[in-house]
Amino acid sequence: MAGIVVVALGLVLTPGPNMAYLVSRTLTQGRRAGAVSLCGVAAGFAVYAAAAAAGLSTVFVLVPALYALVQVAGAGYLLWLAWRSLRPGGASVFEPAPVPPVSAGRLFAMGLLTNLLNPKIAVLYVSLLPQFVDPARGSVAAQSLVLAGVQIAVAVSVNAVIVLGAGGVARVLAGRPVWARVQRWVMGAVLAALAVRLLGERSRAPL
């Protein structure tokens, strides 16, 4: 459980689709919209947790090419996010493009879809989470649900803090351009390192 906490923190603190969506909605429509969007993101985690408990990783063991495709796609997406941060004139996740206001129902649905299509989360549940399951300790499905619950608790808690503090962070970075550049470079470097590590493990199938 301690290991999955560390992994969950590392992933949720790196910028990605979930963070960008939550920050955009919070800055555009306020914290209530950010909270509704976060509920949709949490529902997406629940879907992945159910799939993990049902043995999703077994499919990728039986079809290694499909597993490799997920890894390559995830690494490619992380590299694209890194390039967006590191390129000249790149933008911080706390400088999202304005988005038009939408209803609560659509906010929830978009949060759900954003998370379901998030390569980072797919890689987490397909490749990383199974590494923490020990068949000798009992039901694999039960262990998967417990570990997924820990990951969801960490991700939702951190994202809730992001929603509450998005406006303040955006104002701080806007007033201190040097900090904004440092934030972009640090996040870009972390994303690139994650992508390289993922590609380096491409030949390993989930246990």
Side-chain angles (χ1 to χ4, degrees), residues 4 45 48-50 52 125 129 142-153:
I4 205 67
F45 283 128
Y48 272 112
Y125 276 89
L129 187 142
Q143 290 184 62
S144 296
L145 284 176
V146 170
L147 293 173
V150 172
Q151 182 272 326
I152 292 172

Side-chain angles (χ1 to χ4, degrees), residues 64 66 105 178 182 186 203:
L66 185 58
V178 173
V182 170
V186 169
S203 59

Side-chain angles (χ1 to χ4, degrees), residues 5-181:
V5 166
V6 173
V7 171
L9 278 174
L11 288 177
V12 76
L13 291 175
T14 56
N18 289 346
M19 185 184 292
Y21 176 69
L22 292 173
V23 170
S24 297
R25 282 302 169 189
T26 301
L27 295 181
T28 301
Q29 289 185 247
R31 289 177 177 173
R32 181 179 179 277
V36 174
S37 299
L38 178 56
C39 288
V41 170
F45 283 128
V47 172
Y48 272 112
L56 178 64
S57 62
T58 303
V59 175
F60 290 90
V61 172
L62 298 175
V63 189
L66 185 58
Y67 175 69
L69 180 62
V70 170
Q71 286 187 303
V72 171
Y77 187 76
L78 291 174
L79 287 173
W80 179 72
L81 289 175
W83 167 244
R84 286 189 61 188
S85 295
L86 297 174
R87 68 182 180 181
S92 164
V93 69
F94 288 96
E95 300 173 8
V99 290
V102 296
S103 66
R106 189 171 180 188
L107 286 172
F108 181 91
M110 292 172 67
L112 171 63
L113 187 61
T114 297
N115 201 19
L116 290 178
L117 298 179
N118 187 345
K120 287 201 304 179
I121 307 306
V123 169
L124 167 65
Y125 276 89
V126 170
S127 179
L128 299 179
L129 187 142
Q131 310 299 324
F132 295 92
V133 174
D134 182 2
R137 293 179 178 270
S139 171
V140 171
Q143 290 184 62
S144 296
L145 284 176
V146 170
L147 293 173
V150 172
Q151 182 272 326
I152 292 172
V154 171
V156 171
S157 298
V158 172
N159 279 319
V161 172
I162 290 172
V163 167
L164 292 174
V169 174
R171 286 192 295 272
V172 169
L173 293 179
R176 296 172 174 80
V178 173
W179 287 20
R181 287 196 295 272

